[in-house]
Amino acid sequence: MNLNPPRICARDQLALGRIRRLHPGGAAIQRTLYRIRLPERPISPAALAFEALIADAQAMSDELKT
């Protein structure tokens, strides 16, 4: 059994039939993400790492378009 993290998280719900696994067939799934924060609160290390990940992914996507 291939236990990748998303499947592990959903394993019980899949077994109970409460959710189904979809195969988009090569279609790109895109979602707009928004960041909301309080200006007086410091940005957490996890949030900074996530922002860096998104910036790197965007840079790679931009490079592929050219």
Side-chain angles (χ1 to χ4, degrees):
M1 181 173 177
N2 180 12
L3 294 178
N4 58 33
R7 193 172 300 156
I8 290 172
C9 296
R11 179 176 43 201
D12 294 340
Q13 298 299 313
L14 285 164
L16 292 170
R18 292 182 177 166
I19 61 174
R20 288 187 337 168
R21 187 164 182 225
L22 299 177
H23 301 277
I29 299 174
Q30 295 183 354
R31 169 180 312 170
T32 302
L33 299 176
Y34 298 94
R35 179 176 61 107
I36 300 171
R37 70 177 197 90
L38 297 172
E40 64 273 5
R41 292 193 59 186
I43 301 172
S44 71
L48 289 171
F50 183 70
E51 287 180 2
L53 179 74
I54 297 299
D56 289 347
Q58 183 63 49
M60 288 175 45
S61 176
D62 291 344
E63 286 179 14
L64 292 174
K65 291 178 185 175
T66 58

